[in-house]
Amino acid sequence: MTSLVRRALAASLLALPVVPALAQAPYPSRAITIVVPFPAGGPTDASARVYGKALGETLGQPVVIDNRAGAAGTVGSAFVARAPADGYTLLWGGTSTLAVAPGLYKSLRYDAQSFVPIGMALRGPMMLAASPASGIASLADLPRKARDGRLTVGTAGTGSIGHLSTELYADVAGIKLTHVPYRGGSPAITDAIGGQVDLVFDTAAALQPFVKTGKLRALGVGGSQPYAPLPQTPTLQSALGKPYEAYSWFGLVAPKETPPAVLETLRKAMAQVSRSAEIRQVLSDQGVEPGVDGPEAFGQVIATDAAKWARIIQQAGVTGE
């Protein structure tokens, strides 16, 4: 009797329809959001939208830009750090949010380890420029005129890349400069043109239009190579005869623990977009250059810059608001 029951049960099981396991939808299967932690309309937002459009075309899904500004970019960055690690919420991270903020703000709700790099989109060197009213013709004039901190340097604000680039330059050059913080780069540039401050430290992309029209005098750039739009301007490193590098960069990162397969899809798409002739032309037109190639190199830049700026923040006594 038991044998008959077993045979009947086996036959009934074999007769049941086979139900396949639910297959996971291939990534991406819906829209991807790139969080830009700054207001819409600025250069950071513009670059994210250019890349977002191209990435959407490459991946075959819409890419939506979500501007979450606040607290120098840390609000939007913290939002992504806490987002589901599924590849559908990414961060357009930059020097200030990934390399500076962790060393500047004690109560930050994320750090560089909260994210995994996908790819650097672009970078541009910082530039030191002089007001024509300052009488400074070249970097050689700075040691004499900077005695007792008499030279003033305008930047986009305390803890900005311009501010930290200034502190780094003063440290390497062995001179004293007086920092004048502004609420953004534009008013600092305006006051430098008007002679209210002697110098201004900002991105080369922001300063080069005023250099070309003679409203400012370029003294040096923070890149490892001459700046293409102003090739006659020396690098600060060559002028100092000592290591000096200061870049502003942006790229795409994902929350940590994002699945490797998803990351690989994003990395391939980012690499394809970054190498396209169209994107490279857009970057050239904006006065910036393509970023370092590959997620590993991007991760190394984040780590190196984070250590460098943390040292300068501590050494100069810079405090975040």
Side-chain angles (χ1 to χ4, degrees), residues 101-271:
L104 186 63
Y105 302 105
K106 298 185 184 299
S107 59
L108 200 64
R109 291 180 291 172
Y110 70 90
D111 57 28
Q113 284 67 51
S114 300
F115 307 101
V116 58
I118 295 170
M120 185 190 286
L122 59 95
R123 67 176 185 173
M126 301 300 292
M127 176 184 282
L128 179 61
S131 167
S134 68
I136 299 170
S138 70
L139 290 170
D141 294 330
L142 292 187
R144 174 176 54 86
K145 288 183 173 282
R147 288 174 186 162
D148 303 320
R150 289 181 296 174
L151 283 181
T152 53
V153 186
T155 75
T158 300
S160 67
I161 304 301
H163 178 200
L164 300 184
S165 298
T166 298
E167 298 292 351
L168 178 62
Y169 179 79
D171 178 56
V172 176
I175 61 176
K176 186 177 180 181
L177 298 169
T178 297
H179 175 235
V180 181
Y182 287 82
R183 291 186 176 274
S186 294
I189 294 171
T190 298
D191 271 12
I193 292 171
Q196 280 73 43
V197 289
D198 301 305
L199 306 166
V200 60
F201 223 135
D202 209 317
T203 64
L207 295 177
Q208 58 113 347
F210 305 103
V211 171
K212 288 183 175 180
T213 56
K215 294 180 179 179
L216 291 172
R217 183 176 294 118
L219 301 181
V221 293
S224 57
Q225 301 294 328
Y227 181 56
L230 297 171
Q232 73 281 6
T233 304
T235 64
L236 294 171
Q237 181 170 265
S238 64
L240 288 166
K242 300 176 183 179
Y244 182 96
E245 194 168 290
Y247 281 97
S248 175
W249 44 258
F250 286 95
L252 205 57
V253 298
K256 66 179 180 180
E257 300 180 4
T258 297
V262 171
L263 289 174
E264 186 61 21
T265 297
L266 289 168
R267 287 167 177 170
K268 286 181 178 178
M270 188 69 176

Side-chain angles (χ1 to χ4, degrees), residues 19-32:
V19 180
L22 291 176
Q24 187 174 4
Y27 176 85
S29 59
R30 55 186 171 88
I32 297 169

Side-chain angles (χ1 to χ4, degrees), residues 284-304:
S284 178
D285 292 343
Q286 293 179 350
V288 294
E289 63 188 50
V292 296
D293 194 16
E296 292 80 11
F298 186 19
Q300 185 58 52
V301 169
I302 295 172
T304 299

Side-chain angles (χ1 to χ4, degrees), residues 54-138:
L55 281 170
E57 294 170 352
T58 302
L59 292 167
Q61 291 290 342
V63 172
V64 180
I65 301 300
D66 180 8
N67 296 94
R68 288 181 177 261
T74 61
V75 170
S77 300
F79 172 81
V80 177
R82 300 190 304 271
D86 56 9
Y88 289 101
T89 304
L90 309 173
L91 174 67
W92 194 249
T95 316
S96 62
T97 53
L98 297 179
V100 172
L104 186 63
Y105 302 105
K106 298 185 184 299
S107 59
L108 200 64
R109 291 180 291 172
Y110 70 90
D111 57 28
Q113 284 67 51
S114 300
F115 307 101
V116 58
I118 295 170
M120 185 190 286
L122 59 95
R123 67 176 185 173
M126 301 300 292
M127 176 184 282
L128 179 61
S131 167
S134 68
I136 299 170
S138 70

